[in-house]
Amino acid sequence: MPRTLNKLSQLKVTKTTKPGLYADGGGLYLQITAAGVKSWLFRYMRAGKARGMGLGPVHTIGLAEARTRALDCRRLLLDGVDPIDSRNAERTAQRVAQANEMTFKQCADKYIEAHRAGWKNAKHADQWTNTLATYAEPVFDSLPVSAIDTALVMKVLEPIWTTKTETASRVRGRIESVLDWATVRGYRAGENPARLKGHLDTLLPKRARVQKVTHHPALPYADLPGFIKLLRAEDGIAARALELLILTATRTNEVIGATWSEFRLDESIWIIPGERMKMRKEHRVPLSARAIALVKAQEDMKQGDFVFPGAKYQKPLSNMAMLQLLERMKRDDITVHGFRSTFRDWAGETTHYPREVCEAALAHGIKDKAEAAYARGDLFVKRATLMEDWAKFAEGD
């Protein structure tokens, strides 16, 4: 009578190389793929359907152990238990046990590390770490991430929601992101207790009602020509960088990070790549004649890639240099960023340029999604005229 079990020998397992399934009996098979990979497979019927369960690779699981594992599977089937379902349940239980050991801080650290490379500013990771360490972790303490609920999130947010609204809003968003990450990784389940819409917004007052709107102190546009004359009397790279910033209505990081490869002076264009823009979208800046002259003047002291180099080679001008310049000029009543407001006030109150042209000059996105869907161009030609008029106004013309 032929054997129904233990049909294979160790020699046959070792020597057989032809792709296929080789039965050992009792549902156990040696499986060899077209690539020559050998593994163990347990095949069985469940509710009229054929199922296959991998038992491990041959190089790790020997013949004897494979037979033991197959025997365990047959015993489960005898008890009315599906082996695959049983294994999945065990793995789920292991993940739950692991979740009970994963704290919010551990999840936050892993989330930050996973996203660090995608953040534009290297300081972003530090900001995440510091705000969560300051506000969230003292409340969540060493609790497992699966135990964090709405009451705990509220305990974090309520003390700062009306006094530090902007910070509280960022903390909430960061908690929500970390908890979403933990859910996807299987460390927690259910709704996110830090979700704002349809959840926390029913418990917390609206930001608009409690947050004080603060504007960057800006120079009145009528005072700009006089300021430009004083600025041109200042020595140093910071003064030249600040004037270019004013004439192009750009941001500090966009100016100090400008490289020679971004400028096409013969076409009067400065192209700032998307990775350096707040909106992560390429911004073409039309250059006035004075702006071109400022950039060309920097060629005389060209060193490295940056148009406005810092004290160290291949390092840009410090992001504090222009602010310190304003302090030396005894203009601590205004800020560098405020010159964008100066430009916007001038354009809105003294010119007839359409709002969308002025907003495009500031690289502001269109908030209305329907309008944005049809706005394919960047209004460059119209912006070029606008920026030339702005430069003439700054000259006092």
Side-chain angles (χ1 to χ4, degrees), residues 99-176:
N100 288 333
E101 298 173 0
M102 284 289 288
T103 65
F104 177 84
K105 184 181 186 310
Q106 290 173 319
C107 290
D109 290 343
K110 289 182 177 294
Y111 177 91
I112 292 169
E113 193 57 37
H115 290 79
R116 186 186 299 273
W119 284 331
K120 180 173 63 175
N121 193 331
K123 295 180 180 179
H124 204 53
D126 293 335
Q127 292 169 347
W128 269 70
T129 300
N130 293 337
T131 54
L132 292 177
T134 300
Y135 300 105
E137 289 163 19
V139 175
F140 299 155
D141 196 28
S142 57
L143 287 171
V145 70
S146 58
I148 295 173
D149 56 13
T150 301
L152 285 170
V153 174
M154 287 294 290
K155 192 174 180 180
V156 173
L157 299 178
E158 280 185 311
I160 57 174
W161 190 258
T162 58
T163 58
K164 301 177 181 178
T165 311
E166 182 63 32
T167 298
S169 179
R170 290 178 181 175
V171 170
R172 185 212 61 77
R174 289 166 185 174
I175 293 174
E176 182 182 19

Side-chain angles (χ1 to χ4, degrees), residues 320-334:
M320 293 297 292
M322 288 185 276
L323 181 60
Q324 291 168 349
L325 169 64
L326 290 177
E327 291 175 353
R328 291 197 301 272
M329 295 175 69
K330 302 188 184 304
R331 293 309 305 261
D332 54 3
D333 58 322
I334 58 177

Side-chain angles (χ1 to χ4, degrees), residues 77-351:
L77 286 169
L78 190 63
D79 292 335
V81 178
D82 189 307
I84 292 178
D85 291 345
S86 176
R87 182 172 64 182
N88 290 343
E90 288 180 7
R91 290 176 176 175
T92 300
Q94 289 174 355
R95 284 197 295 270
V96 171
Q98 186 179 16
N100 288 333
E101 298 173 0
M102 284 289 288
T103 65
F104 177 84
K105 184 181 186 310
Q106 290 173 319
C107 290
D109 290 343
K110 289 182 177 294
Y111 177 91
I112 292 169
E113 193 57 37
H115 290 79
R116 186 186 299 273
W119 284 331
K120 180 173 63 175
N121 193 331
K123 295 180 180 179
H124 204 53
D126 293 335
Q127 292 169 347
W128 269 70
T129 300
N130 293 337
T131 54
L132 292 177
T134 300
Y135 300 105
E137 289 163 19
V139 175
F140 299 155
D141 196 28
S142 57
L143 287 171
V145 70
S146 58
I148 295 173
D149 56 13
T150 301
L152 285 170
V153 174
M154 287 294 290
K155 192 174 180 180
V156 173
L157 299 178
E158 280 185 311
I160 57 174
W161 190 258
T162 58
T163 58
K164 301 177 181 178
T165 311
E166 182 63 32
T167 298
S169 179
R170 290 178 181 175
V171 170
R172 185 212 61 77
R174 289 166 185 174
I175 293 174
E176 182 182 19
S177 295
V178 172
L179 295 183
D180 276 343
W181 179 91
T183 300
V184 173
R185 295 302 296 262
Y187 298 136
R188 60 173 289 116
E191 292 292 325
N192 193 321
R195 189 184 78 250
L196 183 64
K197 191 173 182 180
H199 185 58
L200 292 183
D201 59 358
T202 65
L203 303 175
L204 295 166
K206 293 185 181 297
R207 283 180 56 186
R209 294 181 180 178
V210 296
Q211 184 176 16
K212 295 180 180 178
V213 179
T214 56
H215 299 284
H216 293 277
L219 183 76
Y221 64 83
D223 297 341
L224 183 67
F227 176 84
I228 289 292
K229 289 180 181 179
L230 294 174
L231 181 62
R232 290 179 182 174
E234 294 287 330
D235 294 325
I237 294 177
R240 309 293 80 79
L242 180 57
E243 186 176 355
L244 183 68
L245 178 145
I246 294 170
L247 295 180
T248 54
T250 47
R251 300 177 177 89
T252 296
N253 287 334
E254 294 159 10
V255 171
I256 64 175
T259 60
W260 291 107
S261 62
E262 295 174 2
F263 288 88
R264 299 179 184 174
L265 298 182
D266 56 334
E267 299 176 39
S268 304
I269 300 176
W270 172 20
I271 303 177
I272 308 176
E275 58 266 23
R276 293 210 308 107
M277 293 297 299
K278 184 177 180 180
M279 300 298 292
R280 309 290 286 181
K281 181 180 178 181
E282 180 184 278
H283 182 46
R284 298 196 304 163
V285 182
L287 298 174
S288 62
R290 173 60 185 174
I292 293 173
L294 283 168
V295 177
K296 284 185 174 180
Q298 288 301 114
E299 291 181 336
D300 296 335
M301 56 185 75
K302 186 175 181 179
Q303 48 176 293
D305 297 330
F306 295 103
V307 176
F308 300 102
K312 296 182 179 179
Y313 182 69
Q314 286 293 45
K315 292 291 184 180
L317 187 69
S318 166
N319 62 358
M320 293 297 292
M322 288 185 276
L323 181 60
Q324 291 168 349
L325 169 64
L326 290 177
E327 291 175 353
R328 291 197 301 272
M329 295 175 69
K330 302 188 184 304
R331 293 309 305 261
D332 54 3
D333 58 322
I334 58 177
T335 63
V336 176
H337 195 80
F339 284 105
R340 285 166 59 84
S341 295
T342 303
F343 164 78
R344 189 63 182 89
D345 291 343
W346 166 83
E349 296 180 18
T350 71
T351 77

